[in-house]
């Protein structure tokens, strides 16, 4: 809608991040949630007659979206972003640099074969990041078809130069910077080593409004597993931060760098965590000269999500672990809490016909102190017609208690490595890193680095590259052998020392990253030579509790079927691949530890990665 602030000099930009198209698209209840909300976002852009749409990464949830997902996305972009409405701004920068991922290196609205009314500019995220020898991602398909302008893709791993898209409307000049998702540890290191440069216009630098879009961890997940705001250049005016799903869209001022940061958050809940329960918004940014205004627009098609924590030890006035029929009393308490959240959801939904009828409800129950869990599958049946996630309704968790070390066993704290309760944001490479941080010196990797092993296992689990680990081992073995031959090392002690030095010299370097990439590319080449194709996304059901973005985790009494929607074949295949991936982490150094396969199987069974005699 028109505003008094809308003048021929005012940029109107619709801002959204982390749309995650295709999330749980096989789910009978939630399958259309991401598509409905994206439709609302594009409709809002058209209604407000914006100049452009800016997306901050993770347009797609999967690296290889299904045909249905791509079809829905293309249909909506064509419906809302193509037409006869004139474009009122010009691009002054070198577009061959700005849009360097396509054979049509110019903005789509300037293509004489296309009729674009609202241009969409997007960076890629960590879910839809470029892969393969050609470095292509799903966004590049949309870019080649003229529907999206993919920018912010850096091809170099040694030096990053971020060249802005220079936009001009009336008297307002806007420099649009973008940087697609890069592994946080690598980007952190590049910032520290001054390998990231943000280029500025040569003339009238103080007249430009500088807008930067980034898709990285903003909150600290480790010493280098995030990007501090202080790393960014102080000449920026506004930073649009993607990847973080909690909606903190109101711009906050960084008092050290003196720019503002807006975090729009995701438009669909992809995990049942507190950050996702914040009400979802998109932003309408108005820029005139060096001044800006960001209007929050609540999303009406987002499924409601309520989460609550219950600590049973806090209800000693009602029951204790010794109380007769205490499990029944705990179940009654949980029933009352869930009912309260359902009633709150119903009150909020009044007068909002676009809001889905069934909300997401999550009750996290801490049963530490001697309490027992009840049958969650049977409990969830009471609400199966009222909530959208009956399988994820109850999540039991318990504060981990210290156990005495078992004699005659390698002293490793497995509670630090693999947890039976869920861990938010857990990734396979994180699991590898956590293991070796907890393990003793005697069980450290001798040939491979933790980063290389983690990346290879991630490729195996996430992208079904079965040869990734084998190729990495073979590649590193060949390089190490050549190094030892060149050094003329002969004795066993000298060989061990030289291998350690050679391994440590590559840690956290560009050489290590290049070797990992080369090994993974070799694995993909071997797969293509054999004629194998990665598992089709159409037959992989989304997981209920094993989803790496979810804090769902395994309940103490899991139901027999863990997949969502109809059928469980796809969920079973994905779950098996993830289970195999975790097993491979331990298998890779079993020979080093001198333990038997039965010892390994017992360990895997103890942490829930092996059931029965499999």
């Amino acid at each position: 809608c028109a505003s008094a602030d809308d003048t021929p000099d005012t940029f109107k930009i619709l801002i959204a991040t982390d749309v995650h198209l295709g999330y749980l698209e096989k789910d009978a209840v939630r399958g259309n949630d991401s598509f409905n909300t994206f439709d609302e976002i594009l409709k809002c852009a058209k209604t407000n007659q914006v100049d452009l749409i800016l997306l901050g990464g993770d347009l797609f949830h999967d690296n290889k979206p299904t045909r249905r997902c791509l079809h829905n996305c293309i249909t909506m972009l064509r419906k809302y972003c193509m037409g006869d409405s004139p474009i009122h701004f010009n691009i002054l920068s070198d577009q061959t640099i700005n849009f360097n991922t396509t054979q049509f290196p110019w903005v789509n609205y300037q293509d004489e074969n296309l009729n674009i009314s609202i241009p969409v500019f997007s960076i890629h995220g960590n879910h839809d990041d470029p892969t393969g020898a050609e470095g292509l991602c799903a966004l590049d398909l949309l870019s080649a078809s003229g529907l999206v302008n993919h920018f912010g893709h850096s091809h170099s791993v040694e030096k990053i130069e971020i060249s802005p898209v220079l936009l001009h409307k009336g008297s307002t000049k806007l420099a649009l910077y973008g940087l697609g998702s890069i592994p946080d540890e690598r980007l952190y290191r590049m910032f520290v080593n001054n390998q990231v440069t943000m280029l500025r216009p040569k003339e009238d630098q103080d007249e430009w409004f500088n807008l930067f879009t980034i898709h990285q961890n903003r909150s600290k997940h480790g010493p280098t597993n995030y990007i501090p705001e202080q790393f960014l250049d102080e000449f920026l005016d506004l930073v649009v931060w993607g990847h973080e799903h909690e909606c903190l869209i109101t711009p906050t001022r960084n008092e050290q760098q003196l720019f503002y940061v807006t975090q729009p958050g995701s438009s669909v809940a992809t995990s049942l965590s507190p950050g996702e329960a914040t009400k979802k918004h998109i932003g309408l940014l108005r820029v005139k000269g060096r001044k800006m205004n960001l209007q929050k627009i609540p999303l009406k098609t987002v499924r409601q999500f309520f989460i609550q924590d219950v600590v049973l030890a806090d209800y000693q006035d009602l029951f204790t672990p010794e109380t007769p029929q205490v499990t029944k009393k705990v179940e009654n308490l949980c029933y009352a809490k869930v009912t309260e959240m359902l009633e709150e959801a119903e009150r909020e939904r009044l007068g909002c016909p676009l809001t889905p009828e069934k909300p997401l409800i999550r009750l996290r129950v801490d049963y530490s102190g001697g309490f027992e869990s009840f049958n969650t599958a049977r409990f969830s049946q009471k609400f199966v017609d009222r909530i959208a996630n009956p399988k994820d309704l109850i999540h039991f968790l318990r504060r981990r208690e210290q156990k005495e070390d078992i004699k005659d066993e390698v002293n490793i704290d497995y509670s630090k490595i693999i947890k039976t309760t869920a861990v938010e944001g857990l990734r396979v490479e994180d699991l590898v890193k956590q293991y070796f941080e907890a393990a003793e010196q005697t069980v450290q990797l001798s040939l491979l680095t933790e980063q290389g092993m983690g990346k290879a296992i991630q490729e195996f689990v996430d992208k079904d590259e079965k040869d990734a680990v084998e190729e990495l081992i073979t590649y590193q073995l060949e390089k190490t052998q050549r190094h030892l031959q060149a050094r003329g090392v002969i004795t066993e002690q000298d060989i061990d020392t030289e291998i350690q030095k050679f391994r440590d010299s590559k840690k956290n370097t560009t050489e290590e990253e290049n070797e990992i990439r080369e090994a993974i590319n070799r694995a993909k080449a071997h797969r293509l030579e054999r004629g194998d194709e990665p598992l089709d996304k159409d037959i992989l059901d989304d997981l209920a509790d094993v989803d790496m973005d979810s804090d769902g985790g395994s309940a103490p009494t899991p139901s027999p079927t863990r997949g969502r929607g109809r059928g469980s074949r796809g969920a079973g295949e994905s779950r098996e691949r993830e289970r195999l991936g975790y097993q491979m982490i331990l298998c890779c150094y079993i020979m080093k530890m001198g333990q038997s396969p039965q010892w390994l199987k017992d360990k895997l069974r103890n942490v829930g990665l092996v059931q029965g005699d499999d």
Side-chain angles (χ1 to χ4, degrees):
C1 300
S3 167
D5 296 329
D6 297 342
T7 68
D9 301 321
T10 304
F11 272 101
K12 292 175 65 176
I13 305 171
L14 191 86
I15 295 176
T17 67
D18 297 88
V19 177
H20 285 274
L21 288 176
Y23 178 70
L24 288 185
E25 63 179 311
K26 298 294 181 70
D27 189 284
V29 177
R30 302 164 63 183
N32 288 319
D33 285 5
S34 62
F35 302 120
N36 292 337
T37 303
F38 190 50
D39 185 90
E40 179 186 2
I41 292 171
L42 296 180
K43 185 182 294 183
C44 179
K46 188 169 185 177
T47 302
N48 285 279
Q49 300 176 0
V50 301
D51 292 300
L52 61 99
I53 298 172
L54 179 62
L55 302 179
D58 281 354
L59 175 61
F60 296 101
H61 182 71
D62 289 313
N63 187 268
K64 300 172 184 175
T66 64
R67 278 172 289 188
R68 174 178 180 256
C69 180
L70 283 170
H71 178 267
N72 286 350
C73 177
I74 291 171
T75 300
M76 287 185 281
L77 289 172
R78 181 171 176 175
K79 177 180 178 181
Y80 292 106
C81 299
M82 300 187 79
D84 296 326
S85 300
I87 306 296
H88 298 292
F89 66 89
N90 296 315
I91 294 185
L92 307 180
S93 53
D94 185 349
Q95 298 185 47
T96 59
I97 298 176
N98 299 144
F99 311 113
N100 56 10
T101 64
T102 174
Q103 295 184 20
F104 309 99
W106 52 82
V107 70
N108 59 352
Y109 76 83
Q110 291 182 351
D111 193 311
E112 59 183 11
N113 298 312
L114 301 173
N115 214 15
I116 303 297
S117 59
I118 304 177
V120 179
F121 292 81
S122 179
I123 62 173
H124 63 262
N126 60 305
H127 278 254
D128 50 12
D129 60 322
T131 59
E134 296 82 9
L136 296 175
C137 63
L139 278 180
D140 292 317
L141 297 179
L142 302 180
S143 177
S145 60
L147 295 171
V148 166
N149 301 293
H150 179 201
F151 74 112
H153 182 192
S154 174
H155 295 278
S156 173
V157 296
E158 298 180 354
K159 186 177 182 181
I160 296 176
E161 286 190 346
I162 308 174
S163 182
V165 183
L166 302 180
L167 311 178
H168 179 262
K169 182 181 180 183
S171 60
T172 300
K173 299 177 180 179
L174 190 149
L176 177 60
Y177 295 84
L179 182 62
S181 177
I182 294 174
D184 290 290
E185 294 89 345
R186 182 202 300 172
L187 186 58
Y188 186 103
R189 186 172 66 252
M190 295 181 77
F191 269 112
V192 170
N193 295 332
N194 295 318
Q195 294 173 305
V196 181
T197 305
M198 301 186 75
L199 305 179
R200 301 189 66 182
K202 294 181 179 179
E203 301 177 357
D204 305 321
Q205 291 186 353
D206 295 334
E207 296 182 7
W208 291 86
F209 182 91
N210 301 294
L211 174 61
F212 181 40
T213 309
I214 187 173
H215 191 98
Q216 304 291 154
N217 281 335
R218 185 183 181 193
S219 55
K220 189 173 183 178
H221 294 272
T224 62
N225 197 14
Y226 77 114
I227 302 301
E229 294 178 10
Q230 284 70 22
F231 281 3
L232 306 183
D233 287 70
E234 58 185 11
F235 69 80
L236 296 173
D237 296 294
L238 178 65
V239 177
V240 178
W241 210 295
H243 185 60
E244 300 286 357
H245 281 207
E246 183 178 3
C247 183
L248 302 172
I249 197 168
T250 301
T252 55
R253 182 179 171 90
N254 184 300
E255 295 300 335
Q256 181 175 339
Q257 300 296 88
L258 302 181
F259 53 63
Y260 287 86
V261 180
T262 177
Q263 182 179 303
S266 66
S267 56
V268 63
T270 63
S271 66
L272 301 178
S273 58
E276 295 278 20
T278 309
K279 301 303 178 186
K280 306 289 188 181
H281 295 80
I282 54 176
L284 181 57
L285 176 67
R286 291 180 170 89
V287 177
K288 182 178 181 181
R290 293 296 303 275
K291 296 182 179 180
M292 70 168 184
N293 173 266
L294 185 62
Q295 174 188 346
K296 295 197 306 183
I297 301 177
L299 292 170
K300 301 175 182 178
T301 57
V302 175
R303 191 175 297 275
Q304 296 167 290
F305 174 34
F306 296 88
I307 185 170
Q308 196 172 130
D309 292 331
V310 173
V311 181
L312 298 184
D314 293 343
Y315 292 86
Q316 295 184 6
D317 55 331
L318 297 179
F319 46 71
T320 65
E322 291 74 28
T323 302
Q325 296 185 322
V326 61
T327 303
K328 183 64 176 176
K329 295 180 184 296
V330 170
E331 192 170 340
N332 291 339
L333 173 67
C334 293
Y335 184 90
K337 295 292 184 181
V338 172
T339 303
E340 286 176 9
M341 288 188 278
L342 280 170
E343 291 173 350
E344 182 181 356
E346 195 169 338
R347 287 193 298 270
E348 284 192 8
R349 200 167 57 248
L350 290 175
C352 299
L354 297 178
T355 303
E357 181 180 353
K358 295 180 180 180
L360 295 169
I361 302 292
R362 179 71 145 184
L363 188 65
R364 301 194 296 191
V365 182
D366 184 341
Y367 67 121
S368 305
F371 291 96
E372 296 294 331
S373 60
F374 53 78
N375 189 312
T376 56
R378 185 176 59 204
F379 179 85
S380 300
Q381 286 299 312
K382 301 174 183 179
F383 301 96
V384 70
D385 295 326
R386 301 180 62 188
I387 65 175
N389 61 314
K391 294 179 183 177
D392 298 323
L393 174 57
I394 299 289
H395 174 50
F396 280 104
L397 52 93
R398 181 158 49 189
R399 288 190 297 272
R400 193 169 297 279
E401 300 174 358
Q402 295 293 331
K403 296 182 180 180
E404 296 183 2
D405 294 336
I406 302 174
K407 293 183 179 180
D408 301 325
E409 190 171 298
V410 179
N411 184 20
I412 302 172
D413 184 359
Y414 281 88
S415 67
K416 295 180 181 179
I417 308 161
I418 303 173
K419 299 183 179 180
T420 54
T421 55
V423 181
E424 294 182 17
L426 182 67
R427 301 176 300 171
V428 175
E429 60 266 39
D430 295 334
L431 197 62
V432 177
K433 186 176 180 181
Q434 290 174 20
Y435 175 85
F436 288 107
E437 287 177 351
E440 289 183 344
Q441 185 64 34
T442 54
V443 292
Q444 295 294 331
L445 290 172
S446 298
L447 183 64
L448 305 180
T449 62
E450 292 85 351
Q451 180 182 352
M453 178 59 73
K455 185 65 176 176
I457 294 176
Q458 181 193 17
E459 290 286 323
F460 174 85
V461 173
D462 292 348
K463 300 173 185 176
D464 197 35
E465 291 294 350
K466 300 181 179 66
D467 297 328
V469 176
E470 180 182 353
E471 278 299 329
L472 179 65
I473 294 173
T474 303
Y475 186 80
Q476 292 285 11
L477 185 59
E478 292 172 356
K479 287 209 68 171
T480 305
Q481 288 172 339
R482 289 196 297 269
H483 175 79
L484 293 175
Q485 291 172 356
R487 293 290 179 124
V489 182
I490 300 176
T491 66
E492 184 175 344
Q493 183 177 357
D494 290 343
I495 288 175
D496 289 341
T497 303
E498 190 63 34
I499 289 176
Q500 184 67 31
K501 289 180 180 178
F502 183 57
R503 175 181 175 275
D504 292 343
S505 68
K506 296 185 296 182
K507 264 191 172 183
N508 300 321
T509 64
T510 303
E511 181 184 358
E512 179 188 27
E513 294 167 359
N514 291 337
E515 290 179 357
I516 295 169
R517 187 179 302 103
E518 174 63 24
I520 291 173
N521 287 339
R522 283 168 59 165
K524 292 174 180 175
H526 286 174
R527 168 170 56 78
L528 294 175
E529 287 176 4
R530 294 193 306 268
D532 293 345
E533 289 295 332
L535 291 179
D536 189 348
K537 286 290 182 183
D538 286 329
I539 66 171
L540 290 178
D541 290 334
D542 291 285
L543 300 178
D545 295 325
V546 189
D547 189 345
M548 285 311 204
D549 282 335
S550 173
D551 73 339
S554 302
T557 55
S559 56
T561 303
R562 299 288 298 275
R564 294 187 191 275
R566 66 182 187 278
S568 59
R569 176 189 170 207
E573 292 179 30
S574 293
R575 187 160 60 248
E576 180 64 17
R577 282 199 293 122
E578 287 197 290
R579 203 153 57 85
L580 286 172
Y582 296 148
Q583 291 172 2
M584 290 172 67
I585 298 171
L586 298 178
C587 290
C588 287
Y589 46 79
I590 183 173
M591 295 301 294
K592 172 89 176 174
M593 298 168 68
Q595 301 291 347
S596 66
Q598 184 59 45
W599 176 91
L600 174 63
K601 185 180 291 186
D602 292 340
K603 269 300 164 197
L604 293 172
R605 185 179 292 109
N606 289 341
V607 296
L609 295 182
V610 167
Q611 292 83 33
D613 294 325
D614 59 349

